[in-house]
Amino acid sequence: MGATAGDASGLTSTVVFRLGTLGTVVTDRFTREIEGLGLKPKHVGLMAALGRAAVASQQELAARMGVAPSLMVSLADHLEDLGAVQRVRDPRDRRRQVLTLTEEGQRLLDRCTSMARTLDEELMAGLTEKQRKALAEALHVMAKRAGLP
Amino acid sequence: MGATAGDASGLTSTVVFRLGTLGTVVTDRFTREIEGLGLKPKHVGLMAALGRAAVASQQELAARMGVAPSLMVSLADHLEDLGAVQRVRDPRDRRRQVLTLTEEGQRLLDRCTSMARTLDEELMAGLTEKQRKALAEALHVMAKRAGLP
DNA sequence: TATTGTTATACTCTATAACTATA
DNA sequence: TATAGTTATAGAGTATAACAATA
């Protein structure tokens, strides 16, 4: 025994490593799943943000999602093309574009949510009900502390 | 109550969403942390893979990490420049480049592991010891099922 | 002819900077 | 002059395809 150089279980067993690698795998999987809807993860993230806030300017949404305003433009463009969001100029400040989720957008978001739930099931197949609850709670606490929804 | 359209807590509370977003945040944080060592996450992943396997050809490592062989070349190039890995031609099959972790590589890997542990602490600051154990176990089970180390 | 590693090229994602219109 | 949104441009990261050496 002793400090065998070459044992990297140290790194790979950290939460940082596991969250990073699992996050990538899961996101890739989700990306393939929503591809048929003409969506990428960021589009879904934007719809989810709109689902919570109901109404917000592009700048506010960009700040909330931590992306550049220029990226918000192309995300909104694409969702508008799909009929998932509406752009309305704020009459009080005509510089602001206010985004709202349409009924079609809500339907798309619902389908994505359903797909995510199916993936959740697959992902947690090896866990007991108790373990799933504990996992969900731990992720929730960490997400809030990190300023995530 | 009722089915209020616009409530997206459905999506954002899935494990898929939480793993994806937390994975990104945590990886970005780790990336900044190791920047001073001249490393990117993939370099660390390669060193960790070498730490476990001790010796492997570039093709084997590329397959294990799920990256293109061409990317393995540049990762190995960079680590070789840092003195973290050695390339040795397999005498039995001179096409194969066998990679091994040097002592310097082990030192670098150890420092990265230490940084990851510190981040783990920060990340799980809001969790009880019991919750941390439960989280680690759940992540471990899911990682194995996903074919991750 | 098939395989390993390498190099050349192209594609995706996203940020920064320049620009337009409103304020 | 400052800000919201847009457009143009550039950089990072990585894959695919073409190539060289070896089997």
Side-chain angles (χ1 to χ4, degrees), chain A residues 14-94:
Chain A
T14 60
V15 172
V16 164
F17 184 90
R18 291 248 155 88
L19 275 183
T21 51
L22 267 173
T24 300
V25 166
V26 165
T27 299
D28 286 354
R29 186 85 173 65
F30 185 62
T31 301
R32 286 196 300 276
E33 210 70 33
I34 61 180
E35 197 177 12
L37 301 175
L39 298 171
K40 300 277 174 69
K42 288 252 154 74
H43 299 124
V44 181
L46 174 49
M47 289 195 292
L50 274 176
R52 286 192 310 282
V55 134
S57 76
Q58 293 186 188
Q59 294 275 350
E60 288 160 0
L61 289 162
R64 206 172 303 169
M65 288 180 61
V67 301
S70 57
L71 178 55
M72 183 53 60
V73 173
S74 51
L75 294 176
D77 279 351
H78 184 69
L79 289 179
E80 198 177 30
D81 287 347
L82 292 179
V85 303
Q86 261 189 336
R87 268 191 176 107
V88 179
R89 287 250 169 233
D90 182 344
R92 256 89 50 119
D93 181 347
R94 294 187 40 71

Side-chain angles (χ1 to χ4, degrees), chain B residues 26-98:
Chain B
V26 165
T27 300
D28 287 353
R29 187 85 172 65
F30 185 63
T31 302
R32 284 197 301 275
E33 211 69 32
I34 61 178
E35 196 177 12
L37 301 175
L39 298 171
K40 299 279 173 70
K42 288 253 154 75
H43 298 124
V44 181
L46 173 50
M47 287 194 294
L50 274 175
R52 286 193 308 282
V55 134
S57 76
Q58 292 188 188
Q59 294 275 351
E60 289 160 0
L61 289 162
R64 206 172 303 169
M65 288 180 61
V67 302
S70 57
L71 178 54
M72 184 53 59
V73 172
S74 51
L75 294 176
D77 279 351
H78 184 69
L79 289 179
E80 198 177 30
D81 287 347
L82 293 179
V85 305
Q86 260 189 338
R87 269 190 175 107
V88 179
R89 288 247 170 237
D90 182 343
R92 254 89 50 120
D93 182 347
R94 294 187 39 74
R95 289 172 306 180
R96 290 164 46 93
Q97 291 271 45
V98 170

Side-chain angles (χ1 to χ4, degrees), chain A residues 4-27 30 44-45 47-54 101 106 109 112-113 115-117 119-120 122-127 131-132 134-146 148-149, chain B residues 4-27 30 44-45 47-54 101 106 109-110 112-113 115-117 119-120 122-127 131 134-146 148-149:
Chain A
T4 305
D7 181 353
S9 72
L11 179 69
T12 59
S13 65
T14 60
V15 172
V16 164
F17 184 90
R18 291 248 155 88
L19 275 183
T21 51
L22 267 173
T24 300
V25 166
V26 165
T27 299
F30 185 62
V44 181
M47 289 195 292
L50 274 176
R52 286 192 310 282
L101 200 62
Q106 186 62 49
L109 180 54
C112 292
T113 303
M115 287 171 172
R117 291 226 176 88
L119 279 186
D120 270 20
E122 184 181 313
L123 196 63
M124 298 190 290
L127 301 181
Q131 284 179 313
R132 296 179 191 205
L135 172 67
E137 175 61 16
L139 291 178
H140 174 76
V141 171
M142 290 191 296
K144 291 308 170 191
R145 285 184 61 98
L148 296 172
Chain B
T4 306
D7 180 353
S9 71
L11 179 69
T12 58
S13 65
T14 61
V15 173
V16 163
F17 185 90
R18 291 247 155 89
L19 275 183
T21 50
L22 267 173
T24 301
V25 166
V26 165
T27 300
F30 185 63
V44 181
M47 287 194 294
L50 274 175
R52 286 193 308 282
L101 200 63
Q106 186 62 49
L109 180 54
D110 288 345
C112 292
T113 303
M115 286 171 173
R117 291 226 176 88
L119 279 185
D120 270 19
E122 184 180 314
L123 197 63
M124 298 190 289
L127 302 181
Q131 283 180 312
L135 172 67
E137 176 62 15
L139 291 178
H140 174 75
V141 171
M142 291 191 295
K144 291 308 169 192
R145 285 184 60 100
L148 296 171

